[in-house]
mmCIF file of all heavy atoms in Angstrom:
data_model
loop_
_atom_site.group_PDB
_atom_site.id
_atom_site.type_symbol
_atom_site.label_atom_id
_atom_site.label_comp_id
_atom_site.label_asym_id
_atom_site.label_seq_id
_atom_site.Cartn_x
_atom_site.Cartn_y
_atom_site.Cartn_z
ATOM 1 N N ILE Y 103 -30.036 29.245 -19.730
ATOM 2 C CA ILE Y 103 -28.981 28.488 -19.043
ATOM 3 C C ILE Y 103 -29.029 28.930 -17.558
ATOM 4 O O ILE Y 103 -28.930 30.107 -17.252
ATOM 5 C CB ILE Y 103 -27.625 28.827 -19.650
ATOM 6 C CG1 ILE Y 103 -27.628 28.452 -21.162
ATOM 7 C CG2 ILE Y 103 -26.498 28.067 -18.932
ATOM 8 C CD1 ILE Y 103 -26.486 29.071 -21.953
ATOM 9 N N ASP Y 104 -29.166 27.944 -16.653
ATOM 10 C CA ASP Y 104 -29.298 28.303 -15.229
ATOM 11 C C ASP Y 104 -27.940 28.498 -14.598
ATOM 12 O O ASP Y 104 -27.773 29.236 -13.641
ATOM 13 C CB ASP Y 104 -29.984 27.163 -14.454
ATOM 14 C CG ASP Y 104 -31.359 26.860 -15.014
ATOM 15 O OD1 ASP Y 104 -32.044 27.817 -15.434
ATOM 16 O OD2 ASP Y 104 -31.716 25.674 -15.085
ATOM 17 N N GLU Y 105 -26.949 27.762 -15.122
ATOM 18 C CA GLU Y 105 -25.687 27.671 -14.382
ATOM 19 C C GLU Y 105 -24.575 27.305 -15.361
ATOM 20 O O GLU Y 105 -24.859 26.748 -16.427
ATOM 21 C CB GLU Y 105 -25.886 26.565 -13.367
ATOM 22 C CG GLU Y 105 -24.797 26.426 -12.341
ATOM 23 C CD GLU Y 105 -25.077 25.243 -11.418
ATOM 24 O OE1 GLU Y 105 -26.143 25.182 -10.783
ATOM 25 O OE2 GLU Y 105 -24.202 24.364 -11.385
ATOM 26 N N GLY Y 106 -23.356 27.598 -14.978
ATOM 27 C CA GLY Y 106 -22.232 27.323 -15.881
ATOM 28 C C GLY Y 106 -21.964 28.585 -16.660
ATOM 29 O O GLY Y 106 -22.058 29.681 -16.123
ATOM 30 N N PHE Y 107 -21.648 28.412 -17.951
ATOM 31 C CA PHE Y 107 -21.448 29.590 -18.784
ATOM 32 C C PHE Y 107 -22.804 30.154 -19.163
ATOM 33 O O PHE Y 107 -23.484 29.637 -20.043
ATOM 34 C CB PHE Y 107 -20.628 29.211 -20.019
ATOM 35 C CG PHE Y 107 -19.154 29.264 -19.779
ATOM 36 C CD1 PHE Y 107 -18.555 28.222 -19.080
ATOM 37 C CD2 PHE Y 107 -18.402 30.339 -20.157
ATOM 38 C CE1 PHE Y 107 -17.196 28.262 -18.795
ATOM 39 C CE2 PHE Y 107 -17.028 30.398 -19.864
ATOM 40 C CZ PHE Y 107 -16.441 29.340 -19.187
ATOM 41 N N VAL Y 108 -23.199 31.206 -18.471
ATOM 42 C CA VAL Y 108 -24.477 31.827 -18.787
ATOM 43 C C VAL Y 108 -24.289 32.920 -19.849
ATOM 44 O O VAL Y 108 -25.235 33.348 -20.517
ATOM 45 C CB VAL Y 108 -25.166 32.401 -17.523
ATOM 46 C CG1 VAL Y 108 -25.618 31.278 -16.612
ATOM 47 C CG2 VAL Y 108 -24.260 33.335 -16.766
ATOM 48 N N GLU Y 109 -23.049 33.359 -19.977
ATOM 49 C CA GLU Y 109 -22.637 34.295 -21.029
ATOM 50 C C GLU Y 109 -21.276 33.779 -21.475
ATOM 51 O O GLU Y 109 -20.617 33.041 -20.749
ATOM 52 C CB GLU Y 109 -22.427 35.707 -20.447
ATOM 53 C CG GLU Y 109 -23.665 36.399 -19.892
ATOM 54 C CD GLU Y 109 -24.570 36.967 -20.970
ATOM 55 O OE1 GLU Y 109 -24.127 37.080 -22.112
ATOM 56 O OE2 GLU Y 109 -25.710 37.271 -20.615
ATOM 57 N N PRO Y 110 -20.825 34.253 -22.666
ATOM 58 C CA PRO Y 110 -19.539 33.722 -23.140
ATOM 59 C C PRO Y 110 -18.371 33.911 -22.155
ATOM 60 O O PRO Y 110 -17.416 33.129 -22.153
ATOM 61 C CB PRO Y 110 -19.292 34.496 -24.433
ATOM 62 C CG PRO Y 110 -20.643 34.906 -24.870
ATOM 63 C CD PRO Y 110 -21.488 35.098 -23.655
ATOM 64 N N THR Y 111 -18.457 34.949 -21.340
ATOM 65 C CA THR Y 111 -17.344 35.138 -20.395
ATOM 66 C C THR Y 111 -17.817 35.169 -18.941
ATOM 67 O O THR Y 111 -17.076 35.560 -18.070
ATOM 68 C CB THR Y 111 -16.619 36.475 -20.687
ATOM 69 O OG1 THR Y 111 -17.613 37.513 -20.685
ATOM 70 C CG2 THR Y 111 -15.904 36.456 -22.031
ATOM 71 N N VAL Y 112 -19.056 34.747 -18.738
ATOM 72 C CA VAL Y 112 -19.574 34.781 -17.353
ATOM 73 C C VAL Y 112 -19.972 33.390 -16.900
ATOM 74 O O VAL Y 112 -20.831 32.746 -17.519
ATOM 75 C CB VAL Y 112 -20.821 35.714 -17.263
ATOM 76 C CG1 VAL Y 112 -21.320 35.787 -15.833
ATOM 77 C CG2 VAL Y 112 -20.520 37.088 -17.806
ATOM 78 N N GLU Y 113 -19.334 32.955 -15.835
ATOM 79 C CA GLU Y 113 -19.725 31.663 -15.234
ATOM 80 C C GLU Y 113 -20.535 31.948 -14.007
ATOM 81 O O GLU Y 113 -20.233 32.878 -13.242
ATOM 82 C CB GLU Y 113 -18.459 30.873 -14.815
ATOM 83 C CG GLU Y 113 -17.688 30.342 -15.987
ATOM 84 C CD GLU Y 113 -16.470 29.539 -15.503
ATOM 85 O OE1 GLU Y 113 -16.637 28.596 -14.750
ATOM 86 O OE2 GLU Y 113 -15.361 29.911 -15.906
ATOM 87 N N GLN Y 114 -21.549 31.152 -13.789
ATOM 88 C CA GLN Y 114 -22.437 31.388 -12.649
ATOM 89 C C GLN Y 114 -22.707 30.047 -11.983
ATOM 90 O O GLN Y 114 -22.894 29.037 -12.669
ATOM 91 C CB GLN Y 114 -23.724 31.987 -13.188
ATOM 92 C CG GLN Y 114 -24.831 32.234 -12.186
ATOM 93 C CD GLN Y 114 -26.006 32.874 -12.891
ATOM 94 O OE1 GLN Y 114 -25.936 33.998 -13.367
ATOM 95 N NE2 GLN Y 114 -27.120 32.151 -12.966
ATOM 96 N N GLY Y 115 -22.749 30.000 -10.663
ATOM 97 C CA GLY Y 115 -23.084 28.767 -9.965
ATOM 98 C C GLY Y 115 -22.029 28.331 -8.992
ATOM 99 O O GLY Y 115 -20.897 28.805 -9.004
ATOM 100 N N ASP Y 116 -22.424 27.411 -8.094
ATOM 101 C CA ASP Y 116 -21.561 27.016 -6.967
ATOM 102 C C ASP Y 116 -20.676 25.822 -7.295
ATOM 103 O O ASP Y 116 -20.014 25.291 -6.412
ATOM 104 C CB ASP Y 116 -22.445 26.641 -5.774
ATOM 105 C CG ASP Y 116 -23.241 27.832 -5.258
ATOM 106 O OD1 ASP Y 116 -22.775 28.958 -5.520
ATOM 107 O OD2 ASP Y 116 -24.310 27.608 -4.665
ATOM 108 N N TYR Y 117 -20.725 25.339 -8.525
ATOM 109 C CA TYR Y 117 -20.001 24.094 -8.814
ATOM 110 C C TYR Y 117 -18.868 24.296 -9.818
ATOM 111 O O TYR Y 117 -18.381 23.358 -10.422
ATOM 112 C CB TYR Y 117 -20.980 23.006 -9.283
ATOM 113 C CG TYR Y 117 -21.971 22.696 -8.173
ATOM 114 C CD1 TYR Y 117 -23.129 23.455 -7.993
ATOM 115 C CD2 TYR Y 117 -21.690 21.681 -7.244
ATOM 116 C CE1 TYR Y 117 -24.003 23.214 -6.937
ATOM 117 C CE2 TYR Y 117 -22.551 21.433 -6.197
ATOM 118 C CZ TYR Y 117 -23.715 22.189 -6.045
ATOM 119 O OH TYR Y 117 -24.554 21.947 -5.003
ATOM 120 N N GLY Y 118 -18.489 25.535 -10.032
ATOM 121 C CA GLY Y 118 -17.465 25.881 -11.010
ATOM 122 C C GLY Y 118 -16.064 25.591 -10.522
ATOM 123 O O GLY Y 118 -15.887 25.156 -9.359
ATOM 124 N N PRO Y 119 -15.030 25.864 -11.316
ATOM 125 C CA PRO Y 119 -15.186 26.391 -12.677
ATOM 126 C C PRO Y 119 -15.870 25.393 -13.594
ATOM 127 O O PRO Y 119 -15.758 24.192 -13.413
ATOM 128 C CB PRO Y 119 -13.734 26.620 -13.122
ATOM 129 C CG PRO Y 119 -12.851 26.009 -12.093
ATOM 130 C CD PRO Y 119 -13.650 25.682 -10.908
ATOM 131 N N TYR Y 120 -16.558 25.971 -14.585
ATOM 132 C CA TYR Y 120 -17.323 25.141 -15.491
ATOM 133 C C TYR Y 120 -16.580 24.959 -16.829
ATOM 134 O O TYR Y 120 -17.169 24.764 -17.865
ATOM 135 C CB TYR Y 120 -18.697 25.747 -15.745
ATOM 136 C CG TYR Y 120 -19.574 25.739 -14.503
ATOM 137 C CD1 TYR Y 120 -19.548 26.780 -13.588
ATOM 138 C CD2 TYR Y 120 -20.407 24.658 -14.230
ATOM 139 C CE1 TYR Y 120 -20.314 26.775 -12.445
ATOM 140 C CE2 TYR Y 120 -21.189 24.632 -13.077
ATOM 141 C CZ TYR Y 120 -21.128 25.685 -12.184
ATOM 142 O OH TYR Y 120 -21.920 25.646 -11.067
ATOM 143 N N GLN Y 121 -15.280 25.083 -16.733
ATOM 144 C CA GLN Y 121 -14.462 24.919 -17.928
ATOM 145 C C GLN Y 121 -13.334 23.946 -17.556
ATOM 146 O O GLN Y 121 -12.584 24.193 -16.604
ATOM 147 C CB GLN Y 121 -13.872 26.304 -18.284
ATOM 148 C CG GLN Y 121 -13.077 26.305 -19.560
ATOM 149 C CD GLN Y 121 -12.723 27.743 -19.968
ATOM 150 O OE1 GLN Y 121 -12.996 28.695 -19.235
ATOM 151 N NE2 GLN Y 121 -12.146 27.886 -21.113
ATOM 152 N N GLN Y 122 -13.241 22.873 -18.299
ATOM 153 C CA GLN Y 122 -12.357 21.800 -17.856
ATOM 154 C C GLN Y 122 -10.888 22.217 -17.764
ATOM 155 O O GLN Y 122 -10.177 21.742 -16.897
ATOM 156 C CB GLN Y 122 -12.560 20.556 -18.730
ATOM 157 C CG GLN Y 122 -13.922 19.931 -18.511
ATOM 158 C CD GLN Y 122 -14.159 18.674 -19.307
ATOM 159 O OE1 GLN Y 122 -13.589 18.519 -20.396
ATOM 160 N NE2 GLN Y 122 -15.006 17.787 -18.787
ATOM 161 N N SER Y 123 -10.487 23.114 -18.642
ATOM 162 C CA SER Y 123 -9.065 23.509 -18.593
ATOM 163 C C SER Y 123 -8.727 24.213 -17.267
ATOM 164 O O SER Y 123 -7.547 24.299 -16.921
ATOM 165 C CB SER Y 123 -8.722 24.391 -19.798
ATOM 166 O OG SER Y 123 -9.533 25.544 -19.773
ATOM 167 N N LYS Y 124 -9.755 24.654 -16.562
ATOM 168 C CA LYS Y 124 -9.459 25.327 -15.284
ATOM 169 C C LYS Y 124 -9.567 24.343 -14.100
ATOM 170 O O LYS Y 124 -9.516 24.759 -12.938
ATOM 171 C CB LYS Y 124 -10.462 26.476 -15.054
ATOM 172 C CG LYS Y 124 -10.382 27.587 -16.070
ATOM 173 C CD LYS Y 124 -11.350 28.706 -15.660
ATOM 174 C CE LYS Y 124 -11.592 29.679 -16.783
ATOM 175 N NZ LYS Y 124 -12.976 30.216 -16.736
ATOM 176 N N ARG Y 125 -9.757 23.057 -14.380
ATOM 177 C CA ARG Y 125 -10.033 22.098 -13.313
ATOM 178 C C ARG Y 125 -8.909 21.059 -13.155
ATOM 179 O O ARG Y 125 -9.135 20.030 -12.519
ATOM 180 C CB ARG Y 125 -11.361 21.422 -13.569
ATOM 181 C CG ARG Y 125 -12.555 22.389 -13.601
ATOM 182 C CD ARG Y 125 -13.843 21.727 -14.065
ATOM 183 N NE ARG Y 125 -14.332 20.697 -13.193
ATOM 184 C CZ ARG Y 125 -15.035 20.895 -12.097
ATOM 185 N NH1 ARG Y 125 -15.344 22.123 -11.746
ATOM 186 N NH2 ARG Y 125 -15.420 19.871 -11.348
ATOM 187 N N ALA Y 126 -7.751 21.346 -13.735
ATOM 188 C CA ALA Y 126 -6.699 20.313 -13.756
ATOM 189 C C ALA Y 126 -6.402 19.789 -12.347
ATOM 190 O O ALA Y 126 -6.291 18.570 -12.152
ATOM 191 C CB ALA Y 126 -5.446 20.900 -14.374
ATOM 192 N N GLU Y 127 -6.354 20.678 -11.383
ATOM 193 C CA GLU Y 127 -5.998 20.249 -10.036
ATOM 194 C C GLU Y 127 -7.038 19.291 -9.462
ATOM 195 O O GLU Y 127 -6.713 18.324 -8.754
ATOM 196 C CB GLU Y 127 -5.839 21.481 -9.134
ATOM 197 C CG GLU Y 127 -5.123 21.170 -7.846
ATOM 198 C CD GLU Y 127 -5.086 22.325 -6.868
ATOM 199 O OE1 GLU Y 127 -5.523 23.456 -7.229
ATOM 200 O OE2 GLU Y 127 -4.645 22.112 -5.735
ATOM 201 N N ILE Y 128 -8.276 19.546 -9.800
ATOM 202 C CA ILE Y 128 -9.349 18.668 -9.290
ATOM 203 C C ILE Y 128 -9.180 17.253 -9.867
ATOM 204 O O ILE Y 128 -9.193 16.252 -9.133
ATOM 205 C CB ILE Y 128 -10.746 19.233 -9.676
ATOM 206 C CG1 ILE Y 128 -10.905 20.677 -9.191
ATOM 207 C CG2 ILE Y 128 -11.839 18.330 -9.148
ATOM 208 C CD1 ILE Y 128 -12.217 21.335 -9.554
ATOM 209 N N TYR Y 129 -8.992 17.177 -11.180
ATOM 210 C CA TYR Y 129 -8.838 15.847 -11.797
ATOM 211 C C TYR Y 129 -7.638 15.111 -11.234
ATOM 212 O O TYR Y 129 -7.663 13.919 -10.937
ATOM 213 C CB TYR Y 129 -8.704 15.947 -13.305
ATOM 214 C CG TYR Y 129 -9.812 16.738 -13.975
ATOM 215 C CD1 TYR Y 129 -9.543 17.867 -14.732
ATOM 216 C CD2 TYR Y 129 -11.144 16.340 -13.843
ATOM 217 C CE1 TYR Y 129 -10.563 18.602 -15.341
ATOM 218 C CE2 TYR Y 129 -12.162 17.069 -14.443
ATOM 219 C CZ TYR Y 129 -11.855 18.194 -15.186
ATOM 220 O OH TYR Y 129 -12.862 18.916 -15.764
ATOM 221 N N GLN Y 130 -6.557 15.888 -11.083
ATOM 222 C CA GLN Y 130 -5.322 15.236 -10.618
ATOM 223 C C GLN Y 130 -5.476 14.756 -9.168
ATOM 224 O O GLN Y 130 -4.905 13.730 -8.787
ATOM 225 C CB GLN Y 130 -4.158 16.228 -10.761
ATOM 226 C CG GLN Y 130 -3.830 16.440 -12.243
ATOM 227 C CD GLN Y 130 -2.756 17.503 -12.481
ATOM 228 O OE1 GLN Y 130 -2.080 17.921 -11.548
ATOM 229 N NE2 GLN Y 130 -2.615 17.918 -13.725
ATOM 230 N N THR Y 131 -6.265 15.461 -8.415
ATOM 231 C CA THR Y 131 -6.509 15.028 -7.040
ATOM 232 C C THR Y 131 -7.204 13.667 -7.010
ATOM 233 O O THR Y 131 -6.825 12.762 -6.257
ATOM 234 C CB THR Y 131 -7.340 16.085 -6.279
ATOM 235 O OG1 THR Y 131 -6.624 17.318 -6.333
ATOM 236 C CG2 THR Y 131 -7.613 15.700 -4.846
ATOM 237 N N TYR Y 132 -8.231 13.532 -7.834
ATOM 238 C CA TYR Y 132 -8.947 12.250 -7.889
ATOM 239 C C TYR Y 132 -8.060 11.156 -8.486
ATOM 240 O O TYR Y 132 -8.075 10.008 -8.059
ATOM 241 C CB TYR Y 132 -10.263 12.409 -8.636
ATOM 242 C CG TYR Y 132 -11.331 13.047 -7.773
ATOM 243 C CD1 TYR Y 132 -11.468 14.439 -7.707
ATOM 244 C CD2 TYR Y 132 -12.147 12.264 -6.973
ATOM 245 C CE1 TYR Y 132 -12.427 15.019 -6.892
ATOM 246 C CE2 TYR Y 132 -13.109 12.847 -6.147
ATOM 247 C CZ TYR Y 132 -13.241 14.226 -6.137
ATOM 248 O OH TYR Y 132 -14.184 14.790 -5.304
ATOM 249 N N ALA Y 133 -7.238 11.538 -9.482
ATOM 250 C CA ALA Y 133 -6.362 10.542 -10.087
ATOM 251 C C ALA Y 133 -5.324 10.072 -9.050
ATOM 252 O O ALA Y 133 -5.043 8.884 -8.949
ATOM 253 C CB ALA Y 133 -5.655 11.143 -11.305
ATOM 254 N N LYS Y 134 -4.847 11.050 -8.291
ATOM 255 C CA LYS Y 134 -3.832 10.680 -7.281
ATOM 256 C C LYS Y 134 -4.439 9.696 -6.281
ATOM 257 O O LYS Y 134 -3.790 8.732 -5.880
ATOM 258 C CB LYS Y 134 -3.339 11.949 -6.558
ATOM 259 C CG LYS Y 134 -2.145 11.682 -5.671
ATOM 260 C CD LYS Y 134 -1.464 12.955 -5.240
ATOM 261 C CE LYS Y 134 -0.201 12.621 -4.417
ATOM 262 N NZ LYS Y 134 0.541 13.823 -4.028
ATOM 263 N N SER Y 135 -5.664 9.952 -5.932
ATOM 264 C CA SER Y 135 -6.320 9.053 -4.976
ATOM 265 C C SER Y 135 -6.465 7.643 -5.565
ATOM 266 O O SER Y 135 -6.282 6.630 -4.855
ATOM 267 C CB SER Y 135 -7.671 9.667 -4.597
ATOM 268 O OG SER Y 135 -8.546 8.682 -4.128
ATOM 269 N N LEU Y 136 -6.768 7.565 -6.841
ATOM 270 C CA LEU Y 136 -6.843 6.217 -7.474
ATOM 271 C C LEU Y 136 -5.468 5.533 -7.454
ATOM 272 O O LEU Y 136 -5.371 4.324 -7.198
ATOM 273 C CB LEU Y 136 -7.367 6.329 -8.904
ATOM 274 C CG LEU Y 136 -8.852 6.678 -9.103
ATOM 275 C CD1 LEU Y 136 -9.190 6.730 -10.585
ATOM 276 C CD2 LEU Y 136 -9.765 5.682 -8.399
ATOM 277 N N ILE Y 137 -4.449 6.313 -7.730
ATOM 278 C CA ILE Y 137 -3.082 5.728 -7.720
ATOM 279 C C ILE Y 137 -2.749 5.221 -6.324
ATOM 280 O O ILE Y 137 -2.244 4.100 -6.156
ATOM 281 C CB ILE Y 137 -2.033 6.765 -8.174
ATOM 282 C CG1 ILE Y 137 -2.359 7.300 -9.578
ATOM 283 C CG2 ILE Y 137 -0.613 6.154 -8.174
ATOM 284 C CD1 ILE Y 137 -1.605 8.549 -10.022
ATOM 285 N N GLU Y 138 -3.097 6.012 -5.325
ATOM 286 C CA GLU Y 138 -2.833 5.601 -3.929
ATOM 287 C C GLU Y 138 -3.542 4.304 -3.583
ATOM 288 O O GLU Y 138 -3.078 3.515 -2.743
ATOM 289 C CB GLU Y 138 -3.339 6.684 -2.951
ATOM 290 C CG GLU Y 138 -2.371 7.846 -2.862
ATOM 291 C CD GLU Y 138 -2.957 9.010 -2.087
ATOM 292 O OE1 GLU Y 138 -4.101 8.905 -1.571
ATOM 293 O OE2 GLU Y 138 -2.246 10.044 -1.961
ATOM 294 N N GLN Y 139 -4.693 4.102 -4.190
ATOM 295 C CA GLN Y 139 -5.446 2.865 -3.894
ATOM 296 C C GLN Y 139 -5.035 1.708 -4.803
ATOM 297 O O GLN Y 139 -5.680 0.660 -4.805
ATOM 298 C CB GLN Y 139 -6.933 3.122 -4.083
ATOM 299 C CG GLN Y 139 -7.498 4.175 -3.141
ATOM 300 C CD GLN Y 139 -8.919 4.544 -3.575
ATOM 301 O OE1 GLN Y 139 -9.838 3.726 -3.481
ATOM 302 N NE2 GLN Y 139 -9.074 5.761 -4.092
ATOM 303 N N GLY Y 140 -4.037 1.938 -5.630
ATOM 304 C CA GLY Y 140 -3.617 0.900 -6.552
ATOM 305 C C GLY Y 140 -4.572 0.740 -7.735
ATOM 306 O O GLY Y 140 -4.571 -0.274 -8.437
ATOM 307 N N LEU Y 141 -5.421 1.742 -7.976
ATOM 308 C CA LEU Y 141 -6.405 1.620 -9.038
ATOM 309 C C LEU Y 141 -5.980 2.344 -10.331
ATOM 310 O O LEU Y 141 -6.713 2.378 -11.303
ATOM 311 C CB LEU Y 141 -7.741 2.188 -8.567
ATOM 312 C CG LEU Y 141 -8.429 1.368 -7.467
ATOM 313 C CD1 LEU Y 141 -9.630 2.106 -6.896
ATOM 314 C CD2 LEU Y 141 -8.863 0.003 -7.996
ATOM 315 N N ALA Y 142 -4.791 2.932 -10.251
ATOM 316 C CA ALA Y 142 -4.265 3.597 -11.443
ATOM 317 C C ALA Y 142 -2.733 3.555 -11.391
ATOM 318 O O ALA Y 142 -2.163 3.393 -10.315
ATOM 319 C CB ALA Y 142 -4.762 5.040 -11.516
ATOM 320 N N TYR Y 143 -2.106 3.689 -12.535
ATOM 321 C CA TYR Y 143 -0.646 3.570 -12.577
ATOM 322 C C TYR Y 143 -0.100 4.319 -13.783
ATOM 323 O O TYR Y 143 -0.839 4.600 -14.733
ATOM 324 C CB TYR Y 143 -0.263 2.092 -12.608
ATOM 325 C CG TYR Y 143 -0.744 1.373 -13.868
ATOM 326 C CD1 TYR Y 143 0.061 1.304 -15.002
ATOM 327 C CD2 TYR Y 143 -1.983 0.789 -13.921
ATOM 328 C CE1 TYR Y 143 -0.385 0.685 -16.158
ATOM 329 C CE2 TYR Y 143 -2.438 0.148 -15.060
ATOM 330 C CZ TYR Y 143 -1.640 0.108 -16.172
ATOM 331 O OH TYR Y 143 -2.073 -0.511 -17.318
ATOM 332 N N PRO Y 144 1.200 4.577 -13.787
ATOM 333 C CA PRO Y 144 1.772 5.295 -14.907
ATOM 334 C C PRO Y 144 2.117 4.336 -16.065
ATOM 335 O O PRO Y 144 2.504 3.205 -15.821
ATOM 336 C CB PRO Y 144 3.065 5.885 -14.328
ATOM 337 C CG PRO Y 144 3.477 4.863 -13.305
ATOM 338 C CD PRO Y 144 2.213 4.300 -12.734
ATOM 339 N N CYS Y 145 1.968 4.821 -17.265
ATOM 340 C CA CYS Y 145 2.338 4.031 -18.409
ATOM 341 C C CYS Y 145 3.298 4.869 -19.275
ATOM 342 O O CYS Y 145 2.994 6.017 -19.577
ATOM 343 C CB CYS Y 145 1.099 3.637 -19.198
ATOM 344 S SG CYS Y 145 1.440 3.025 -20.859
ATOM 345 N N PHE Y 146 4.421 4.298 -19.594
ATOM 346 C CA PHE Y 146 5.453 5.053 -20.319
ATOM 347 C C PHE Y 146 5.512 4.661 -21.792
ATOM 348 O O PHE Y 146 6.482 4.991 -22.474
ATOM 349 C CB PHE Y 146 6.821 4.775 -19.630
ATOM 350 C CG PHE Y 146 6.905 5.383 -18.243
ATOM 351 C CD1 PHE Y 146 6.408 4.675 -17.138
ATOM 352 C CD2 PHE Y 146 7.448 6.650 -18.044
ATOM 353 C CE1 PHE Y 146 6.503 5.218 -15.852
ATOM 354 C CE2 PHE Y 146 7.507 7.192 -16.764
ATOM 355 C CZ PHE Y 146 7.043 6.492 -15.660
ATOM 356 N N CYS Y 147 4.540 3.932 -22.270
ATOM 357 C CA CYS Y 147 4.581 3.480 -23.670
ATOM 358 C C CYS Y 147 4.551 4.684 -24.596
ATOM 359 O O CYS Y 147 3.777 5.636 -24.384
ATOM 360 C CB CYS Y 147 3.364 2.603 -23.983
ATOM 361 S SG CYS Y 147 3.535 0.973 -23.320
ATOM 362 N N THR Y 148 5.325 4.608 -25.626
ATOM 363 C CA THR Y 148 5.279 5.677 -26.647
ATOM 364 C C THR Y 148 4.229 5.275 -27.690
ATOM 365 O O THR Y 148 3.776 4.121 -27.690
ATOM 366 C CB THR Y 148 6.626 5.794 -27.356
ATOM 367 O OG1 THR Y 148 6.921 4.532 -27.976
ATOM 368 C CG2 THR Y 148 7.737 6.166 -26.381
ATOM 369 N N GLU Y 149 3.909 6.211 -28.577
ATOM 370 C CA GLU Y 149 2.981 5.915 -29.679
ATOM 371 C C GLU Y 149 3.470 4.672 -30.426
ATOM 372 O O GLU Y 149 2.698 3.821 -30.840
ATOM 373 C CB GLU Y 149 2.913 7.110 -30.635
ATOM 374 C CG GLU Y 149 1.947 8.210 -30.187
ATOM 375 C CD GLU Y 149 0.542 7.706 -29.973
ATOM 376 O OE1 GLU Y 149 0.050 6.895 -30.795
ATOM 377 O OE2 GLU Y 149 -0.060 8.088 -28.960
#
Side-chain angles (χ1 to χ4, degrees):
I103 302 164
D104 304 323
E105 189 182 303
F107 275 77
V108 291
E109 296 282 346
T111 54
V112 182
E113 288 181 57
Q114 176 178 295
D116 296 336
Y117 298 85
Y120 294 88
Q121 184 171 6
Q122 290 183 332
S123 59
K124 296 184 195 147
R125 300 171 63 81
E127 195 185 355
I128 304 178
Y129 305 121
Q130 290 175 13
T131 302
Y132 282 87
K134 189 166 184 178
S135 157
L136 289 180
I137 302 166
E138 282 171 1
Q139 297 169 68
L141 292 171
Y143 63 90
C145 166
F146 292 85
C147 285
T148 60
E149 277 303 318

